[in-house]
Amino acid sequence: MAETDPVDQLITLWSAAMPNVDTRGLSVLGRVRRIALKARVAVEPLLAQHGIDGGGYDVLATLRAVAPPHRMRPTEIYRALGISSGGLTARLNKLEVARMIRRPAASDDKRSVFVELSPKGRGLVEQAFRAEMAVQVQLLAGLADKEQWVLSTLLKKLEATMGEAG
């Protein structure tokens, strides 16, 4: 492992340029940002091979993770993904045109709809999920199982303590 990395270099530069600003957050959040970007660069081409983008994949994966019939209300999906209702609508429209999802009316309220994974969407997301998990195993290969668990636990704690700020 390198003794210094680009984040360390950035912290050094900012600390010299603005010594009165606390830059400690960069040591964690700067690295989290870089890791997320590297993971996205590794996963996006694989999703493209399956004919889907990251936003559509997130919707399909969220639906697939719930019990059959893999159906949720739009509100449940956008809350689970942490996106706006408008952002979800755009994704759903695209997925519906591609026949990856269906939007049946709710039997308890005809004004409401469900979003349901279609057989085509299920097949695609299952293939893409397997491939993504294989990539994630490779990306995490530099950490022992215990290190992965510790890092995951600390990131979970950090996210919980951030509350609604992000």
Side-chain angles (χ1 to χ4, degrees):
M1 183 173 74
E3 288 193 27
T4 62
D5 67 2
V7 174
D8 290 328
Q9 294 165 7
L10 187 61
I11 291 168
T12 299
L13 290 172
W14 275 112
S15 295
M18 298 181 73
N20 59 333
V21 176
D22 185 352
T23 59
R24 289 178 294 175
L26 277 176
S27 68
V28 174
L29 299 178
R31 287 184 177 90
V32 167
R33 183 180 305 126
R34 290 174 57 84
I35 290 165
L37 288 172
K38 286 181 179 183
R40 191 167 81 196
V41 165
V43 170
E44 283 182 350
L46 142 104
L47 295 179
Q49 289 173 3
H50 289 84
I52 193 155
D53 62 18
Y57 173 75
D58 289 345
V59 171
L60 296 178
T62 299
L63 289 167
R64 177 58 184 91
V66 299
H70 310 296
R71 175 188 295 169
M72 298 173 76
R73 294 188 186 275
T75 305
E76 295 170 318
I77 298 171
Y78 75 71
R79 285 183 181 154
L81 296 177
I83 62 173
S84 69
S85 60
L88 177 63
T89 298
R91 292 178 188 188
L92 294 180
N93 290 342
K94 194 172 175 182
L95 291 169
E96 190 171 36
V97 167
R99 298 182 182 203
M100 300 290 172
I101 61 160
R102 295 184 287 252
R103 293 195 250 192
S107 59
D108 60 338
D109 181 356
K110 296 297 181 190
R111 297 168 296 163
S112 180
V113 297
F114 281 105
V115 178
E116 183 177 289
L117 194 59
S118 71
K120 180 179 178 183
R122 180 179 173 162
L124 182 140
V125 75
E126 288 177 357
Q127 288 179 348
F129 183 76
R130 284 185 188 93
E132 181 191 15
M133 293 302 103
V135 168
Q136 288 187 15
V137 166
Q138 292 172 350
L139 293 173
L140 293 170
L143 297 177
D145 290 347
K146 175 75 174 183
E147 291 171 318
Q148 289 180 37
W149 179 84
V150 169
L151 179 58
S152 173
T153 301
L154 291 172
L155 291 171
K156 182 178 180 180
K157 179 180 179 180
L158 176 61
E159 183 179 18
T161 61
M162 294 173 101
E164 295 298 317

